[in-house]
Amino acid sequence: MLHKTRGIVLKTTLYSESSVIVQIFTEKFGIQSYIINGVKKPRAKIRMNMLQPLHLVDMIVYHKTNTNIQRVSELRPSPVFRSIPYDIIKSTIVLFLNEVLYKSIRQQTTDEHLFDFIFNAVCWFDETEALNVNFHLAFLLKLSRFLGFAPSTQTKSDQSYFDLQEGEFRSSPPVHAYFLDKADAALFISLFSSPLEKINEINLENKTRRAILDKILVYYTLHTASFGEIRSHQVLEDVLS
């Protein structure tokens, strides 16, 4: 049976000289693997440039339950990106976020709220004309809500430390090293709470931005099984420096 669904491309792996297997986070079926034949042929209907990380697509797919690899009948970009592929900073941020998403999302079933968040955030990032170098920080912190480990924003006047392991404020430093002091905690929560349209108003020096990102990755490591090392982290830092 054929089904229409939107999708977010996560990973493309070469399968043969002209075929690939693409892992796509679909609106209707969660994460699915699709084999696509002939993508390197000159007249291919589905081309490799449609299958880049975090590209957004409309699909018509065959779907069989209890099958590891599905098949695609039709696929097209929707919307077509206007800026991400042509802006080195935006494209590097997207590659970095794609790696984090690939290691974080485990949904084999429908999760429309998570899908809508990612889809709409990527659309906004592509459409916004002002370069927003805080986007990846805010995106990851807001994403944590949908992954089940959103930071608590409740705090009392004497609670200045944010415990990354517990996801909450404390009045004294925890015995472990995974925490934020008052200044970094305020930035952490501000990036989490502010709408995307406002995050560029949060002024961060490059050194502070790198430190906050390091803490966010620690936060993900603490709360995501088998998260591992993010390889594109250093590339992102080099581009933003």
Side-chain angles (χ1 to χ4, degrees):
M1 183 179 295
L2 289 170
H3 301 267
K4 291 183 179 180
T5 185
R6 295 187 297 170
I8 302 167
V9 178
L10 294 180
K11 185 178 182 181
T12 301
T13 304
L14 295 177
Y15 182 69
S16 66
E17 289 187 3
S18 61
S19 301
V20 293
I21 292 178
V22 188
Q23 286 186 285
I24 299 178
F25 182 31
T26 68
E27 183 177 25
K28 199 166 186 178
F29 306 109
I31 294 179
Q32 297 291 327
S33 295
Y34 296 94
I35 186 168
I36 303 178
N37 299 315
V39 294
K40 295 185 178 180
K41 294 181 179 179
R43 297 184 180 181
K45 291 183 178 180
I46 302 175
R47 301 182 300 277
M48 281 294 289
N49 63 355
M50 300 178 182
L51 306 174
Q52 299 305 305
L54 288 196
H55 273 44
L56 311 175
V57 294
D58 278 343
M59 310 166 66
I60 298 178
V61 300
Y62 299 94
H63 186 79
K64 296 181 179 179
T65 56
N66 302 320
T67 299
N68 291 330
I69 300 179
Q70 311 286 352
R71 290 192 172 270
V72 175
S73 175
E74 297 179 26
L75 182 148
R76 64 182 182 87
S78 182
V80 177
F81 284 157
R82 299 190 309 170
S83 66
I84 288 174
Y86 315 107
D87 185 309
I88 184 62
I89 293 179
K90 281 191 174 184
S91 60
T92 304
I93 288 174
V94 163
L95 284 172
F96 167 75
L97 292 178
N98 177 81
E99 185 179 0
V100 176
L101 284 167
Y102 181 72
K103 293 187 174 186
S104 303
I105 301 176
R106 299 287 187 265
Q107 278 75 1
Q108 297 292 328
T109 56
T110 305
D111 190 333
E112 292 183 1
H113 295 297
L114 174 59
F115 181 92
D116 285 343
F117 167 74
I118 300 171
F119 193 98
N120 293 333
V122 173
C123 282
W124 179 85
F125 189 52
D126 181 66
E127 292 168 1
T128 186
E129 294 182 2
L131 179 60
N132 199 311
V133 292
N134 291 334
F135 174 73
H136 56 299
L137 306 177
F139 178 93
L140 292 179
L141 287 170
K142 295 175 188 300
L143 176 68
S144 68
R145 176 187 289 117
F146 300 92
L147 299 180
F149 53 91
S152 173
T153 58
Q154 296 182 353
T155 180
K156 297 178 181 178
S157 58
D158 65 334
Q159 294 179 320
S160 300
Y161 300 92
F162 187 81
D163 187 330
L164 293 168
Q165 191 164 278
E166 299 299 327
E168 61 187 19
F169 282 89
R170 298 170 55 103
S171 57
S172 59
V175 294
H176 55 74
Y178 310 126
F179 68 92
L180 304 174
D181 62 18
K182 184 176 182 178
D184 285 349
L187 292 172
F188 198 81
I189 297 303
S190 183
L191 288 161
F192 171 73
S193 303
S194 300
L196 291 177
E197 295 79 9
K198 299 289 185 179
I199 57 175
N200 229 20
E201 298 175 8
I202 303 172
N203 294 319
L204 299 175
E205 296 180 355
N206 283 338
K207 182 179 179 180
T208 304
R209 186 179 295 109
R210 288 195 297 269
I212 292 295
L213 179 56
D214 288 343
K215 294 297 186 180
I216 291 173
L217 292 177
V218 169
Y219 191 55
Y220 267 70
T221 300
L222 291 170
H223 296 277
T224 305
S226 303
F227 186 69
E229 181 183 0
I230 300 298
R231 296 180 180 179
S232 56
H233 181 198
Q234 186 58 52
V235 176
L236 177 64
E237 288 194 352
D238 292 343
V239 169
L240 292 182
S241 62

